[in-house]
Amino acid sequence: MSDTALLTEKPRQDWRGLVNISFGFFGIQIGFALQNANMSRIFQTLGSSLDDLPALWVAAPLTGLLVQPIIGYMSDRTWLGRFGRRRPYFVAGAFLAALSLLLMPLAPVLLAAAVLLWVLDASLNVSMEPFRAFVGDMLNKDQHTAGYAVQTAFIGVGAVVGSLFPTLLDAWGVSNVAPEGSIPDTVRYSFWFGGAALFLAVMWTVVSTKEYDPEQMAVFNREHGDSEATGATIRALASKNQATALGWIGAGALVALLVMNFGFEKEVYLLAALLAAYGVASIIAINLAKKGEKSNMLSQIVGDFSGMPDLMKKLALAQFFSWSALFIMWIYTTPVVAQKFYNTTDSSSAAFQDAGNFVGNLFAVYNGVAAVAALVLLPWLAKRIGKVKTHMVGLLCGAAGYLSFLVFTDREMLYLSEIGVGIAWASILAMPYAILASSLPQRKLGIYMGLFNVFIVVPQLIVATLMGTVLKEFFPTEPIWTMLFAAGVMAAAALSMLRIREPA
C-alpha cells in the first residue's frame, strides 16, 4: 500500500461489517458447546468414574494455556500477503477442529476420546485466540464495545445450536440410547454436523473480510515499531533477578510434597509441574534477555506476562474466579442433574442419556440468554452505570443461578437458573475485553489477549486437578455441592471488580 493510499482512521463498520468480522465465532462456539455439554457424557459412557472426570477434562485448559500465548505472539508478527495476519490461524484451527469433531464420536476407548479432546481444544484455541485480537484490529476504539457485543451474540447463538443438536435429533427419531460402552447416534451425528458448521462459519469470515496490512496498522495506531517495543520488553525482563522464578519452582515443589504427604489425587502433580515449569522458563528467559537476545519468543512472552498493565492484572483476578465457576458447571452439571432430577448415576441407562439431553437444553438457554443480553442488556447497563459495575451485576446474576441448583426441586425450574448464568456468561465474554481492548497497545493486542486468556485457563486447570480430590474426600456421592462452590467463586469474581476504576 502506497503512502498516498494510507488511511488515517479505521473506517466505521456497519452492521454487515460487524457480522462478517465475528461470524466465525458462531462456528467455533458450536464446537465448544458440543464439547462442554457432551464430553462428560462421552467419558462416562466409555467407562470413566465420576471422580475421574476432572482429570480427563484437564486436556482442554492445558492446551489453552500452551497454545493461546504462542498463537497470540505469532499472529502479531504474521503477514502472509493477501491471506493476512489473523486469518491463516482461523483456517488452520477450523480445519483441525472440524476433523477432531468428525473423529470424536468414533473413539473406541476412553483414552482415544481424551486424546481427541486435547486435539479439539488445541484447534479451537488456534482459531479462537486471534478472533479476540481481530476485533481490535478491524475496529476503532469507539466500536470495540459493539464489536465484542456482536461477537458475544454469535457465541451465544452458536452455543445454542451446538447444545440443542442432540435433543433435536432425538425429537426427529434418531436413537438417543446405545449399547453399554457405545456413544448414542444423537451425539455422533451432532458432532459431525457441528464440525461442518464450524468450518463453514470460519470460512465466511475469512472470505468476507480483508485485513489491514502492517504499514496501514502502524498509521492507524501511531505506535513505535516492533524493534523498539521488543527492546523495551527485553530490557525490562533483563533487569529482573531470579528470585521470583525460583519462587515458582519452590511453589511447584511444595504442591508436589502436599500430594505425596496428604494423598491428593495424582493429577495434582500436573499443577505442581506447571508451576515449576514456569519458573524454569522464567530463568531461561531472563538469562536470554540479559545476553541481549531480542528475537526469541520465550523472552517476549515471559517479559510481556511479567510486565502486563495494571488494569489487566486486576481484571485477571475476576477472570480467574469467574472461569473457575464456569468450569465446575461444565464438568458437573450432567452428573448433578442426572442424580438429583433423574434419580440415576448409571451412565448406560436411558434416564442418564435423557439427563444429558436436558443439560444440553439448559446450556442452550443460558447461551440464548447471553446472546440477547450481549446486544440489549449489557450495552444499556454500561451506558448508565459503566462497564465495571455492569460486569459486577452480571457476575452476581451467575452466582445466584448456581446457588438455585441447591434450592429447586423441579428440574423445569432450572431454566430460571440458566437466565442468571446466561447474563453472567454474556458479561464474561464481552465486558473484560471491551474494558481491555482500548487500553492495550494495539501492536501487541494478540499476545496480550493470549496472556489474558491464561487467566481463563489456569482456573480450569486448578478445578480439573483439585476438584476431583475435594469431591472424593467430602461428598463422593453428592455432586450437587459442586454448585455451591461455583456460586461462591462467582461471587468472589464480582467482589474483585471493586478494585477496578472505570477507565476513561
Side-chain angles (χ1 to χ4, degrees):
M1 183 176 292
S2 67
D3 290 343
T4 56
L6 293 178
L7 303 171
T8 57
E9 296 289 342
K10 296 176 187 175
R12 286 187 65 81
Q13 297 284 344
D14 60 13
W15 68 269
R16 287 182 294 269
L18 294 175
V19 166
N20 290 340
I21 287 169
S22 292
F23 190 74
F25 235 123
F26 167 73
I28 291 171
Q29 198 58 36
I30 288 176
F32 273 120
L34 287 167
Q35 169 185 297
N36 293 338
N38 293 285
M39 285 313 302
S40 288
R41 178 183 187 179
I42 290 173
F43 286 150
Q44 287 187 276
T45 298
L46 294 177
S48 170
S49 64
L50 179 63
D51 55 323
D52 284 337
L53 284 180
L56 292 168
W57 270 88
V58 78
L62 181 60
T63 51
L65 180 65
L66 298 174
V67 168
Q68 292 208 27
I70 293 173
I71 294 299
Y73 172 90
M74 292 173 63
S75 70
D76 280 343
R77 289 158 173 77
T78 295
W79 182 254
L80 299 180
R82 62 190 181 91
F83 296 107
R85 183 187 193 189
R86 316 288 183 188
R87 290 179 299 165
Y89 298 93
F90 298 166
V91 175
F95 175 78
L96 293 173
L99 183 62
S100 300
L101 287 168
L102 172 67
L103 296 175
M104 179 71 74
L106 300 176
V109 294
L110 186 60
L111 178 60
V115 171
L116 282 169
L117 174 60
W118 193 301
V119 176
L120 173 62
D121 206 81
S123 305
L124 290 171
N125 275 287
V126 169
S127 271
M128 183 193 73
E129 199 286 330
F131 261 104
R132 292 295 192 190
F134 194 51
V135 172
D137 291 345
M138 301 299 293
L139 300 177
N140 262 331
K141 292 182 179 182
D142 64 343
Q143 284 198 295
H144 283 169
T145 300
Y148 286 112
V150 171
Q151 193 173 87
T152 299
F154 275 126
I155 291 171
V157 174
V160 169
V161 173
S163 298
L164 286 179
F165 262 143
T167 299
L168 291 175
L169 291 174
D170 186 21
W172 293 337
V174 177
S175 176
N176 192 48
V177 294
E180 185 174 355
S182 299
I183 298 168
D185 285 344
T186 51
V187 176
R188 192 187 306 269
Y189 296 153
S190 293
F191 274 61
W192 294 344
F193 292 152
L198 185 157
F199 186 75
L200 291 174
V202 171
M203 290 307 298
W204 178 285
T205 289
V206 170
V207 172
S208 65
T209 58
K210 182 179 180 182
E211 296 183 74
Y212 300 113
D213 63 33
E215 185 183 9
Q216 178 66 83
M217 288 294 292
V219 174
F220 284 152
N221 300 322
R222 302 175 179 87
E223 293 179 345
H224 298 298
D226 272 334
S227 60
E228 184 167 340
T230 299
T233 300
I234 296 298
R235 287 192 298 272
L237 185 64
S239 67
K240 297 181 180 296
N241 59 41
Q242 308 285 13
T244 302
L246 293 173
W248 286 106
I249 297 174
L254 177 61
V255 171
L257 287 173
L258 291 174
V259 177
M260 293 172 60
N261 293 328
F262 292 95
F264 294 156
E265 295 297 307
K266 295 296 185 286
E267 59 263 22
V268 184
Y269 278 122
L270 176 61
L271 180 60
L274 287 171
L275 292 170
Y278 180 71
V280 172
S282 296
I283 290 174
I284 296 171
I286 291 171
N287 286 334
L288 289 172
K290 289 181 182 296
K291 294 177 181 179
E293 297 186 20
K294 298 180 180 181
S295 59
N296 69 92
M297 182 191 304
L298 181 62
S299 292
Q300 282 293 310
I301 292 176
V302 171
D304 285 330
F305 184 77
S306 62
M308 71 178 68
D310 187 60
L311 174 63
M312 186 171 162
K313 292 178 182 178
K314 292 177 179 178
L315 274 171
L317 184 62
Q319 288 290 88
F320 177 88
F321 286 128
S322 57
W323 281 88
S324 296
L326 291 170
F327 204 58
I328 291 171
M329 174 187 73
W330 290 328
I331 293 177
Y332 290 108
T333 300
T334 295
V336 164
V337 169
Q339 184 183 70
K340 183 174 181 180
F341 299 98
Y342 286 81
N343 300 312
T344 183
T345 58
D346 180 4
S347 62
S348 64
S349 67
F352 187 89
Q353 299 301 333
D354 288 340
N357 281 0
F358 184 74
V359 169
N361 297 342
L362 293 178
F363 284 12
V365 168
Y366 89 71
N367 282 290
V369 169
V372 176
L375 293 177
V376 180
L377 177 62
L378 297 185
W380 180 82
L381 271 180
K383 287 181 180 179
R384 285 155 180 79
I385 63 175
K387 298 173 187 174
V388 173
K389 290 181 180 177
T390 296
H391 195 37
M392 288 182 63
V393 171
L395 295 173
L396 289 173
C397 288
Y402 292 135
L403 194 61
S404 67
F405 270 73
L406 284 80
V407 177
F408 293 149
T409 56
D410 180 355
R411 65 173 178 257
E412 300 299 324
M413 295 294 289
L414 294 180
Y415 288 117
L416 295 178
S417 307
E418 297 306 311
I419 293 176
V421 175
I423 294 171
W425 180 230
S427 190
I428 290 166
L429 292 174
M431 287 297 108
Y433 297 98
I435 293 169
L436 271 181
S438 300
S439 305
L440 294 175
Q442 299 298 296
R443 187 176 292 276
K444 288 191 171 187
L445 198 55
I447 180 61
Y448 274 131
M449 287 297 183
L451 291 172
F452 187 61
N453 285 342
V454 166
F455 299 99
I456 294 174
V457 173
V458 169
Q460 295 180 50
L461 282 171
I462 292 176
V463 169
T465 54
L466 293 180
M467 202 64 200
T469 296
V470 173
L471 186 69
K472 186 175 181 180
E473 292 295 323
F474 295 101
F475 32 86
T477 60
E478 297 178 282
I480 183 63
W481 295 108
T482 59
M483 292 299 165
L484 182 61
F485 272 78
V489 293
M490 189 68 89
L495 292 176
S496 70
M497 292 298 295
L498 292 171
R499 302 171 61 239
I500 300 174
R501 296 179 62 183
E502 186 73 27

